[in-house]
Amino acid sequence: MTAARDVLRGRLGLPELAELRPGEFAAEVKREQLPAVADQAAGAGLRLATLFATDDGPAKGCALHHLWAAREPPGFVRIWTRVPADSPRFPSIAAKYPVANWFEREVMDYFGLVPEGHPNTFRVALHDDWPDGFPALRKAFADEQKVPRVPGNNPHPFRPVLGEGVFQVPVGPVHAGIIEPGHFRFGVAGEPVLYLQLRLFYVHKGIEKRFEKLPWRHGLFLAESISGDTAVGHALAYAHAVERLTGVEVPRRARYLRTVLLELERLYNHVADIGAIATDVAFAVPASRAQVLREGLVAIQERLFGARLLRGTVALGGVKCELTLGRRNELLVHLDRLGREFDDLVKLLIDSGTFTDRVDGTGVLGTQAARDLGVVGIAARASGLDLDLRRDQPHDAYASLRFQVPVEEGGDVRARLMVRAREVEQSLSILRQALEGLPEGPSFTPLPDALPASSSALGWAEAWRGECLHWVQTDEEGRVARVKVTDPSFKNWPGLGRAVPGNILPDFPVINKSFNLSYSGNDR
Amino acid sequence: MFRILSKSLKTGVVTEKDPFSSRPPFGFPVIDFNSCTACDECVAVCPTAALQTDRPAADRKTLSLSYALCIQCRECVEACPERAIHPGREFEVATHSREQLMQRGSFVVDPATGRASFRGMDARPGPSLEESAARLKERIKGRLGRSLHVRQVDAGSCNGCELEIIATANPVFDLERFGIHFVASPRHADVLLVTGPVTRNMEIALRRTYEAAPEPRVVVAVGACGCSGGIFGEGTYASLGGVDRVVPVDVYVPGCPPRPHAILNGLLVAMGIHQARSGPGGAELAPQPVGASPPSPHRPLMPVLARGTPE
């Protein structure tokens, strides 16, 4: 294990690199060194997985953390620096690494720290009527307070459009369909979209602050509610973080069952999304078929695990569900039938010229743009980026299962559809392996009574949309001091903003659906 | 074309004849107060403070359970040493106020042993909880009475409720057969189906959507968060809490998320209210004003040290 540390230390040109636990490294650097270390990391092929700040109390002040993901040797490297109270600023890396753009502005909004040299220092998370000087994630900010509204305090700068026949189309926050709220501002010239600006964070619920207030065991339920369609993904990421923090080993059976749950979540979402893409091009028959398949899945999930959307199935230290032999076979039979029906569904779609005409070459996100923006998950794999934590940094039972990571090059709606379709095949194979090889034994390891004091750990899970990261830090008394939640949507929304211009406005719904990003996970 | 036709013919009808025939393995927890000793184990494990105890006098104790806050996590069922909490299978819960979702048992505490014994109920769940099945049949019978246009508003939800609302329209549940349609604008809507918690950033949008809907309008709050703020709390800097903190609510549909059946049930109840309010004297059937229900209890901010043993 130390070999991996030495390799990474050498690549990053650091004098010291601590190995906190397998696959997790950390180093403190001087504030002014951050950009140079970022250059080293990016040059060595690491990618920025998340960026966040912490408030470590009045004595220590704040800290800024860059979390880099290395593929070979696999590991997450956290480069962090102190930000003293008398100088609340840090050097920005966003001009060079666009993935840091929203992250740094979020730190600015919620911690009041200034990203120096950031090319765009407008608010990203705070809305117009939020007053200046209320950094919500600082410790001095009381959770239960009503922050006054100051209308027009900080108007969001929408790009002006000028010229004949050129105009803006504002959409949202309340949309016409049954989807989450967010505001889109299109600049259009007739039908073609010139640009798309996103105004999100309408559903900011203060989740990261809430984690600090809830008992850590209850954080699991909060994690399930970060994004309703990723209950298992976020619960697993949080559970992994807490288990790594306490050093608890999850029993083998529980790891297999967790894999089953995560793949079922992937299945029902992918099937629903493929149907929704068909809906958005008005292809009703496959859309209805997909809805029926999805409903069949959530119904069997409810029967076997007690919850349609798999809530309350993951526990800290294991799982809270059991799968008897009979029920396991029932699930296997259902999945076999689903596999056959799903093949028919995909054939129905891609053999139809009227359908492929709408999805081919629509909403292209190029490989370089996807890499620069730090896009992850299905959107990344559809744009030619071969990333998947299930293979690259395996969690749960993935290290002992055989599967492929489908990658498409097109970057268009078709590619995102095909990544989903091929992942469904892989998921079915993973599920078959995990269910047939389900080990006997306990499905739960009890956790200690308290978390270790002044410690931190990272948990990750490759959920259906992409990687969910939870970084959990405790204070001197073992209470949760900070939970940084990174939903894949946060990195993928700018990718959508990039994929839409050049397409016609009526294609926006299908492009949006092909990404299917979470507003709630993004806004938290 | 031929393949599509043959597929449709082979598939046949997938719609459930009676959408209320299936029962979930776990709906809301049910307390058997006669076996309960008010030991507080369930209160300690409840993540949303749906379970609360109070000590109004030295020799008295109460235990209350609010379905408005319950996220159906099953922790209390497992934590109860007396096995007095059962996984109830009730799910088609829809009430007209938050209080109706609350039940409270009263206990006498023996000063010598400190042991609590059940004395009686202070509050019972609202009538629609127990009579919901009977009411439902009536509603389904009268479903051809008129149609109902629904505008869904996500005022801060995690998207779980939206997934289940979308599911009500799928071919299996097919809510259109009850004359219920989802519409694209609040100006076309009879009913606003609102999920929560209402966030600070959605408060104004929700209020404007409400004002845009023509009278008589009915508001249905969906989900634990829409009913009470749920796990996100009520009155934090970002979450205002339940929908009734911002607009008057007629029907509460709890659950995390509520099953599509429960949402359908809530809409059928809303249809009844809408019919009554459209008739003579209907304007008097007003919902409770905003902020009428007491705020959700806040959990004491302390770490739970071990399963069921708070500091």
Side-chain angles (χ1 to χ4, degrees), chain A residues 211 219-220 222-240 262 265 314 459 461 463 465-470 485-489 518 520-522 524:
Chain A
F211 268 116
L220 186 70
L222 190 58
E224 285 182 342
S225 295
I226 289 168
S227 176
D229 50 24
T230 319
V232 177
H234 275 294
L236 276 183
Y238 182 74
H240 289 154
L262 193 62
E265 186 169 85
V314 175
R465 192 183 273 121
E467 63 192 29
C468 297
L469 308 173
H470 283 228
V485 177
T486 310
D487 187 88
S489 309
S518 167
S520 181
N522 179 79
R524 285 153 289 132

mmCIF file of all heavy atoms in Angstrom, chain A residues 211 219-220 222-240 262 265 314 459 461 463 465-470 485-489 518 520-522 524:
data_model
loop_
_atom_site.group_PDB
_atom_site.id
_atom_site.type_symbol
_atom_site.label_atom_id
_atom_site.label_comp_id
_atom_site.label_asym_id
_atom_site.label_seq_id
_atom_site.Cartn_x
_atom_site.Cartn_y
_atom_site.Cartn_z
ATOM 1 N N PHE A 211 -26.726 17.780 8.039
ATOM 2 C CA PHE A 211 -25.895 16.652 8.469
ATOM 3 C C PHE A 211 -25.175 16.972 9.776
ATOM 4 O O PHE A 211 -24.963 16.111 10.616
ATOM 5 C CB PHE A 211 -24.845 16.327 7.401
ATOM 6 C CG PHE A 211 -25.266 15.294 6.389
ATOM 7 C CD1 PHE A 211 -25.399 15.614 5.056
ATOM 8 C CD2 PHE A 211 -25.510 13.983 6.772
ATOM 9 C CE1 PHE A 211 -25.774 14.659 4.116
ATOM 10 C CE2 PHE A 211 -25.879 13.014 5.846
ATOM 11 C CZ PHE A 211 -26.013 13.364 4.509
ATOM 12 N N GLY A 219 -27.964 10.449 9.768
ATOM 13 C CA GLY A 219 -27.479 11.023 8.516
ATOM 14 C C GLY A 219 -27.786 10.116 7.332
ATOM 15 O O GLY A 219 -27.972 10.568 6.206
ATOM 16 N N LEU A 220 -27.859 8.823 7.605
ATOM 17 C CA LEU A 220 -28.144 7.865 6.538
ATOM 18 C C LEU A 220 -29.476 8.179 5.858
ATOM 19 O O LEU A 220 -29.599 8.090 4.637
ATOM 20 C CB LEU A 220 -28.167 6.453 7.123
ATOM 21 C CG LEU A 220 -28.303 5.325 6.112
ATOM 22 C CD1 LEU A 220 -27.047 5.182 5.278
ATOM 23 C CD2 LEU A 220 -28.616 4.007 6.803
ATOM 24 N N LEU A 222 -30.991 11.069 5.804
ATOM 25 C CA LEU A 222 -30.840 12.321 5.073
ATOM 26 C C LEU A 222 -30.155 12.039 3.732
ATOM 27 O O LEU A 222 -30.552 12.577 2.694
ATOM 28 C CB LEU A 222 -30.023 13.306 5.916
ATOM 29 C CG LEU A 222 -29.956 14.734 5.415
ATOM 30 C CD1 LEU A 222 -31.343 15.331 5.276
ATOM 31 C CD2 LEU A 222 -29.124 15.584 6.359
ATOM 32 N N ALA A 223 -29.148 11.161 3.768
ATOM 33 C CA ALA A 223 -28.439 10.808 2.526
ATOM 34 C C ALA A 223 -29.405 10.196 1.508
ATOM 35 O O ALA A 223 -29.313 10.478 0.318
ATOM 36 C CB ALA A 223 -27.294 9.844 2.826
ATOM 37 N N GLU A 224 -30.350 9.387 1.993
ATOM 38 C CA GLU A 224 -31.316 8.776 1.075
ATOM 39 C C GLU A 224 -32.189 9.827 0.402
ATOM 40 O O GLU A 224 -32.770 9.571 -0.647
ATOM 41 C CB GLU A 224 -32.227 7.812 1.844
ATOM 42 C CG GLU A 224 -31.549 6.516 2.213
ATOM 43 C CD GLU A 224 -32.493 5.566 2.924
ATOM 44 O OE1 GLU A 224 -33.544 6.025 3.415
ATOM 45 O OE2 GLU A 224 -32.168 4.375 2.995
ATOM 46 N N SER A 225 -32.324 10.975 1.049
ATOM 47 C CA SER A 225 -33.205 12.013 0.510
ATOM 48 C C SER A 225 -32.444 13.112 -0.220
ATOM 49 O O SER A 225 -32.985 14.182 -0.452
ATOM 50 C CB SER A 225 -34.033 12.629 1.636
ATOM 51 O OG SER A 225 -34.895 11.663 2.169
ATOM 52 N N ILE A 226 -31.186 12.871 -0.565
ATOM 53 C CA ILE A 226 -30.449 13.884 -1.327
ATOM 54 C C ILE A 226 -31.000 13.934 -2.740
ATOM 55 O O ILE A 226 -31.257 14.996 -3.291
ATOM 56 C CB ILE A 226 -28.940 13.566 -1.315
ATOM 57 C CG1 ILE A 226 -28.386 13.814 0.085
ATOM 58 C CG2 ILE A 226 -28.203 14.390 -2.354
ATOM 59 C CD1 ILE A 226 -27.004 13.266 0.303
ATOM 60 N N SER A 227 -31.201 12.774 -3.322
ATOM 61 C CA SER A 227 -31.831 12.702 -4.633
ATOM 62 C C SER A 227 -32.682 11.446 -4.626
ATOM 63 O O SER A 227 -32.161 10.350 -4.455
ATOM 64 C CB SER A 227 -30.763 12.647 -5.728
ATOM 65 O OG SER A 227 -31.387 12.488 -6.975
ATOM 66 N N GLY A 228 -33.991 11.621 -4.797
ATOM 67 C CA GLY A 228 -34.935 10.526 -4.612
ATOM 68 C C GLY A 228 -34.669 9.310 -5.472
ATOM 69 O O GLY A 228 -34.972 8.189 -5.075
ATOM 70 N N ASP A 229 -34.079 9.527 -6.658
ATOM 71 C CA ASP A 229 -33.846 8.387 -7.537
ATOM 72 C C ASP A 229 -32.499 7.728 -7.265
ATOM 73 O O ASP A 229 -32.137 6.764 -7.901
ATOM 74 C CB ASP A 229 -33.947 8.825 -9.006
ATOM 75 C CG ASP A 229 -33.109 10.058 -9.299
ATOM 76 O OD1 ASP A 229 -32.137 10.310 -8.563
ATOM 77 O OD2 ASP A 229 -33.425 10.778 -10.264
ATOM 78 N N THR A 230 -31.714 8.275 -6.341
ATOM 79 C CA THR A 230 -30.388 7.727 -6.041
ATOM 80 C C THR A 230 -30.306 7.409 -4.558
ATOM 81 O O THR A 230 -29.261 7.615 -3.924
ATOM 82 C CB THR A 230 -29.283 8.732 -6.459
ATOM 83 O OG1 THR A 230 -29.652 9.307 -7.714
ATOM 84 C CG2 THR A 230 -27.933 8.073 -6.625
ATOM 85 N N ALA A 231 -31.393 6.918 -3.968
ATOM 86 C CA ALA A 231 -31.421 6.652 -2.533
ATOM 87 C C ALA A 231 -30.311 5.679 -2.150
ATOM 88 O O ALA A 231 -29.572 5.911 -1.184
ATOM 89 C CB ALA A 231 -32.784 6.101 -2.133
ATOM 90 N N VAL A 232 -30.149 4.601 -2.918
ATOM 91 C CA VAL A 232 -29.130 3.606 -2.577
ATOM 92 C C VAL A 232 -27.734 4.191 -2.800
ATOM 93 O O VAL A 232 -26.848 4.038 -1.960
ATOM 94 C CB VAL A 232 -29.316 2.321 -3.408
ATOM 95 C CG1 VAL A 232 -28.215 1.323 -3.102
ATOM 96 C CG2 VAL A 232 -30.671 1.700 -3.127
ATOM 97 N N GLY A 233 -27.541 4.878 -3.904
ATOM 98 C CA GLY A 233 -26.223 5.433 -4.221
ATOM 99 C C GLY A 233 -25.717 6.345 -3.137
ATOM 100 O O GLY A 233 -24.585 6.193 -2.646
ATOM 101 N N HIS A 234 -26.538 7.296 -2.710
ATOM 102 C CA HIS A 234 -26.087 8.230 -1.686
ATOM 103 C C HIS A 234 -26.002 7.567 -0.318
ATOM 104 O O HIS A 234 -25.087 7.866 0.462
ATOM 105 C CB HIS A 234 -26.999 9.456 -1.642
ATOM 106 C CG HIS A 234 -26.608 10.502 -2.647
ATOM 107 N ND1 HIS A 234 -25.423 11.201 -2.570
ATOM 108 C CD2 HIS A 234 -27.230 10.951 -3.761
ATOM 109 C CE1 HIS A 234 -25.346 12.039 -3.593
ATOM 110 N NE2 HIS A 234 -26.431 11.904 -4.331
ATOM 111 N N ALA A 235 -26.943 6.662 -0.027
ATOM 112 C CA ALA A 235 -26.875 5.970 1.262
ATOM 113 C C ALA A 235 -25.589 5.157 1.341
ATOM 114 O O ALA A 235 -24.910 5.140 2.375
ATOM 115 C CB ALA A 235 -28.093 5.067 1.445
ATOM 116 N N LEU A 236 -25.223 4.510 0.232
ATOM 117 C CA LEU A 236 -23.988 3.725 0.238
ATOM 118 C C LEU A 236 -22.769 4.610 0.414
ATOM 119 O O LEU A 236 -21.858 4.283 1.179
ATOM 120 C CB LEU A 236 -23.852 2.944 -1.078
ATOM 121 C CG LEU A 236 -24.581 1.612 -1.169
ATOM 122 C CD1 LEU A 236 -24.270 0.937 -2.499
ATOM 123 C CD2 LEU A 236 -24.181 0.697 -0.021
ATOM 124 N N ALA A 237 -22.747 5.747 -0.285
ATOM 125 C CA ALA A 237 -21.582 6.630 -0.172
ATOM 126 C C ALA A 237 -21.435 7.107 1.270
ATOM 127 O O ALA A 237 -20.320 7.129 1.813
ATOM 128 C CB ALA A 237 -21.727 7.814 -1.122
ATOM 129 N N TYR A 238 -22.538 7.457 1.907
ATOM 130 C CA TYR A 238 -22.473 7.901 3.308
ATOM 131 C C TYR A 238 -22.056 6.748 4.217
ATOM 132 O O TYR A 238 -21.189 6.905 5.082
ATOM 133 C CB TYR A 238 -23.830 8.465 3.740
ATOM 134 C CG TYR A 238 -23.831 8.997 5.158
ATOM 135 C CD1 TYR A 238 -23.212 10.204 5.471
ATOM 136 C CD2 TYR A 238 -24.425 8.282 6.193
ATOM 137 C CE1 TYR A 238 -23.190 10.684 6.763
ATOM 138 C CE2 TYR A 238 -24.416 8.758 7.497
ATOM 139 C CZ TYR A 238 -23.794 9.960 7.775
ATOM 140 O OH TYR A 238 -23.775 10.438 9.071
ATOM 141 N N ALA A 239 -22.665 5.576 3.977
ATOM 142 C CA ALA A 239 -22.330 4.415 4.808
ATOM 143 C C ALA A 239 -20.856 4.056 4.652
ATOM 144 O O ALA A 239 -20.164 3.787 5.646
ATOM 145 C CB ALA A 239 -23.215 3.228 4.429
ATOM 146 N N HIS A 240 -20.350 4.089 3.420
ATOM 147 C CA HIS A 240 -18.930 3.787 3.208
ATOM 148 C C HIS A 240 -18.055 4.747 3.993
ATOM 149 O O HIS A 240 -17.062 4.347 4.607
ATOM 150 C CB HIS A 240 -18.585 3.886 1.726
ATOM 151 C CG HIS A 240 -19.156 2.769 0.897
ATOM 152 N ND1 HIS A 240 -19.416 2.896 -0.431
ATOM 153 C CD2 HIS A 240 -19.533 1.518 1.238
ATOM 154 C CE1 HIS A 240 -19.928 1.756 -0.897
ATOM 155 N NE2 HIS A 240 -20.007 0.907 0.105
ATOM 156 N N LEU A 262 -27.791 -1.616 -5.520
ATOM 157 C CA LEU A 262 -27.300 -0.532 -6.368
ATOM 158 C C LEU A 262 -27.591 -0.829 -7.841
ATOM 159 O O LEU A 262 -27.947 0.072 -8.607
ATOM 160 C CB LEU A 262 -25.790 -0.338 -6.141
ATOM 161 C CG LEU A 262 -25.183 0.929 -6.713
ATOM 162 C CD1 LEU A 262 -25.798 2.159 -6.086
ATOM 163 C CD2 LEU A 262 -23.674 0.958 -6.520
ATOM 164 N N GLU A 265 -31.253 -0.294 -8.593
ATOM 165 C CA GLU A 265 -31.527 1.139 -8.738
ATOM 166 C C GLU A 265 -31.103 1.620 -10.123
ATOM 167 O O GLU A 265 -31.806 2.396 -10.778
ATOM 168 C CB GLU A 265 -30.770 1.914 -7.657
ATOM 169 C CG GLU A 265 -31.093 3.384 -7.637
ATOM 170 C CD GLU A 265 -30.541 4.062 -6.401
ATOM 171 O OE1 GLU A 265 -29.362 4.468 -6.403
ATOM 172 O OE2 GLU A 265 -31.288 4.170 -5.424
ATOM 173 N N VAL A 314 -30.308 0.069 2.945
ATOM 174 C CA VAL A 314 -28.894 0.126 3.329
ATOM 175 C C VAL A 314 -28.818 0.525 4.795
ATOM 176 O O VAL A 314 -29.547 1.401 5.249
ATOM 177 C CB VAL A 314 -28.141 1.152 2.461
ATOM 178 C CG1 VAL A 314 -26.706 1.307 2.931
ATOM 179 C CG2 VAL A 314 -28.183 0.743 0.999
ATOM 180 N N GLY A 459 -16.326 8.455 1.403
ATOM 181 C CA GLY A 459 -17.083 7.300 0.921
ATOM 182 C C GLY A 459 -17.496 7.568 -0.503
ATOM 183 O O GLY A 459 -17.791 8.713 -0.854
ATOM 184 N N ALA A 461 -19.509 5.825 -4.206
ATOM 185 C CA ALA A 461 -20.290 4.776 -4.847
ATOM 186 C C ALA A 461 -20.604 5.228 -6.263
ATOM 187 O O ALA A 461 -20.917 6.400 -6.484
ATOM 188 C CB ALA A 461 -21.586 4.528 -4.078
ATOM 189 N N ALA A 463 -23.140 5.347 -8.532
ATOM 190 C CA ALA A 463 -24.582 5.176 -8.661
ATOM 191 C C ALA A 463 -24.957 5.255 -10.142
ATOM 192 O O ALA A 463 -24.101 5.456 -10.994
ATOM 193 C CB ALA A 463 -25.303 6.246 -7.860
ATOM 194 N N ARG A 465 -26.324 7.422 -12.011
ATOM 195 C CA ARG A 465 -26.080 8.652 -12.759
ATOM 196 C C ARG A 465 -24.591 8.955 -12.861
ATOM 197 O O ARG A 465 -24.139 9.628 -13.781
ATOM 198 C CB ARG A 465 -26.817 9.799 -12.086
ATOM 199 C CG ARG A 465 -26.889 11.057 -12.891
ATOM 200 C CD ARG A 465 -27.584 12.169 -12.118
ATOM 201 N NE ARG A 465 -29.014 12.145 -12.267
ATOM 202 C CZ ARG A 465 -29.875 12.021 -11.257
ATOM 203 N NH1 ARG A 465 -29.442 11.882 -10.017
ATOM 204 N NH2 ARG A 465 -31.165 12.028 -11.465
ATOM 205 N N GLY A 466 -23.843 8.470 -11.862
ATOM 206 C CA GLY A 466 -22.416 8.742 -11.801
ATOM 207 C C GLY A 466 -21.960 8.610 -10.369
ATOM 208 O O GLY A 466 -22.689 8.091 -9.523
ATOM 209 N N GLU A 467 -20.756 9.128 -10.085
ATOM 210 C CA GLU A 467 -20.190 8.882 -8.764
ATOM 211 C C GLU A 467 -20.797 9.800 -7.698
ATOM 212 O O GLU A 467 -20.925 11.000 -7.884
ATOM 213 C CB GLU A 467 -18.665 9.071 -8.811
ATOM 214 C CG GLU A 467 -18.271 10.495 -9.167
ATOM 215 C CD GLU A 467 -16.798 10.647 -9.500
ATOM 216 O OE1 GLU A 467 -16.193 9.682 -9.984
ATOM 217 O OE2 GLU A 467 -16.261 11.747 -9.270
ATOM 218 N N CYS A 468 -21.179 9.197 -6.579
ATOM 219 C CA CYS A 468 -21.625 9.945 -5.415
ATOM 220 C C CYS A 468 -20.477 9.929 -4.420
ATOM 221 O O CYS A 468 -19.946 8.857 -4.095
ATOM 222 C CB CYS A 468 -22.833 9.290 -4.763
ATOM 223 S SG CYS A 468 -24.276 9.228 -5.825
ATOM 224 N N LEU A 469 -20.071 11.103 -3.936
ATOM 225 C CA LEU A 469 -18.977 11.182 -2.976
ATOM 226 C C LEU A 469 -19.482 11.838 -1.698
ATOM 227 O O LEU A 469 -20.156 12.868 -1.748
ATOM 228 C CB LEU A 469 -17.822 12.022 -3.538
ATOM 229 C CG LEU A 469 -17.285 11.652 -4.919
ATOM 230 C CD1 LEU A 469 -16.279 12.696 -5.384
ATOM 231 C CD2 LEU A 469 -16.634 10.296 -4.891
ATOM 232 N N HIS A 470 -19.167 11.216 -0.575
ATOM 233 C CA HIS A 470 -19.482 11.813 0.721
ATOM 234 C C HIS A 470 -18.193 11.891 1.521
ATOM 235 O O HIS A 470 -17.556 10.862 1.770
ATOM 236 C CB HIS A 470 -20.500 10.954 1.491
ATOM 237 C CG HIS A 470 -21.903 11.112 1.007
ATOM 238 N ND1 HIS A 470 -22.956 11.316 1.849
ATOM 239 C CD2 HIS A 470 -22.427 11.107 -0.236
ATOM 240 C CE1 HIS A 470 -24.076 11.427 1.141
ATOM 241 N NE2 HIS A 470 -23.778 11.298 -0.122
ATOM 242 N N VAL A 485 -21.218 16.623 0.296
ATOM 243 C CA VAL A 485 -21.900 15.708 -0.617
ATOM 244 C C VAL A 485 -21.634 16.172 -2.038
ATOM 245 O O VAL A 485 -21.877 17.336 -2.364
ATOM 246 C CB VAL A 485 -23.416 15.724 -0.355
ATOM 247 C CG1 VAL A 485 -24.134 14.828 -1.343
ATOM 248 C CG2 VAL A 485 -23.720 15.298 1.071
ATOM 249 N N THR A 486 -21.114 15.288 -2.867
ATOM 250 C CA THR A 486 -20.943 15.632 -4.278
ATOM 251 C C THR A 486 -21.801 14.685 -5.103
ATOM 252 O O THR A 486 -21.520 13.494 -5.194
ATOM 253 C CB THR A 486 -19.467 15.531 -4.692
ATOM 254 O OG1 THR A 486 -18.686 16.265 -3.749
ATOM 255 C CG2 THR A 486 -19.247 16.116 -6.074
ATOM 256 N N ASP A 487 -22.853 15.243 -5.663
ATOM 257 C CA ASP A 487 -23.732 14.470 -6.539
ATOM 258 C C ASP A 487 -23.183 14.597 -7.960
ATOM 259 O O ASP A 487 -22.670 15.652 -8.325
ATOM 260 C CB ASP A 487 -25.162 15.046 -6.448
ATOM 261 C CG ASP A 487 -26.166 14.198 -7.202
ATOM 262 O OD1 ASP A 487 -26.696 13.263 -6.594
ATOM 263 O OD2 ASP A 487 -26.406 14.469 -8.398
ATOM 264 N N PRO A 488 -23.303 13.526 -8.751
ATOM 265 C CA PRO A 488 -22.789 13.625 -10.128
ATOM 266 C C PRO A 488 -23.408 14.792 -10.904
ATOM 267 O O PRO A 488 -22.749 15.359 -11.777
ATOM 268 C CB PRO A 488 -23.169 12.274 -10.748
ATOM 269 C CG PRO A 488 -24.109 11.614 -9.789
ATOM 270 C CD PRO A 488 -23.803 12.180 -8.453
ATOM 271 N N SER A 489 -24.633 15.164 -10.571
ATOM 272 C CA SER A 489 -25.294 16.237 -11.312
ATOM 273 C C SER A 489 -24.530 17.549 -11.227
ATOM 274 O O SER A 489 -24.531 18.333 -12.163
ATOM 275 C CB SER A 489 -26.702 16.456 -10.761
ATOM 276 O OG SER A 489 -27.382 15.252 -10.704
ATOM 277 N N SER A 518 -30.075 15.525 -11.620
ATOM 278 C CA SER A 518 -30.867 15.780 -10.429
ATOM 279 C C SER A 518 -30.720 17.242 -10.027
ATOM 280 O O SER A 518 -29.616 17.754 -9.919
ATOM 281 C CB SER A 518 -30.383 14.894 -9.292
ATOM 282 O OG SER A 518 -30.924 15.336 -8.078
ATOM 283 N N SER A 520 -32.222 18.314 -7.151
ATOM 284 C CA SER A 520 -32.092 18.230 -5.706
ATOM 285 C C SER A 520 -30.676 17.847 -5.300
ATOM 286 O O SER A 520 -30.117 18.406 -4.359
ATOM 287 C CB SER A 520 -33.093 17.218 -5.156
ATOM 288 O OG SER A 520 -33.003 17.144 -3.776
ATOM 289 N N GLY A 521 -30.090 16.901 -6.030
ATOM 290 C CA GLY A 521 -28.721 16.486 -5.716
ATOM 291 C C GLY A 521 -27.742 17.608 -5.975
ATOM 292 O O GLY A 521 -26.758 17.781 -5.256
ATOM 293 N N ASN A 522 -28.002 18.393 -7.013
ATOM 294 C CA ASN A 522 -27.142 19.521 -7.333
ATOM 295 C C ASN A 522 -27.282 20.631 -6.294
ATOM 296 O O ASN A 522 -26.292 21.199 -5.834
ATOM 297 C CB ASN A 522 -27.515 20.065 -8.706
ATOM 298 C CG ASN A 522 -26.684 21.262 -9.101
ATOM 299 O OD1 ASN A 522 -25.548 21.121 -9.520
ATOM 300 N ND2 ASN A 522 -27.242 22.464 -8.925
ATOM 301 N N ARG A 524 -28.836 20.500 -3.201
ATOM 302 C CA ARG A 524 -28.730 19.978 -1.827
ATOM 303 C C ARG A 524 -29.420 20.864 -0.821
ATOM 304 O O ARG A 524 -28.889 21.561 -0.053
ATOM 305 C CB ARG A 524 -27.283 19.728 -1.428
ATOM 306 C CG ARG A 524 -26.712 18.474 -2.079
ATOM 307 C CD ARG A 524 -25.252 18.590 -2.228
ATOM 308 N NE ARG A 524 -24.951 19.561 -3.241
ATOM 309 C CZ ARG A 524 -24.066 20.536 -3.103
ATOM 310 N NH1 ARG A 524 -23.383 20.669 -2.026
ATOM 311 N NH2 ARG A 524 -23.874 21.396 -4.090
#
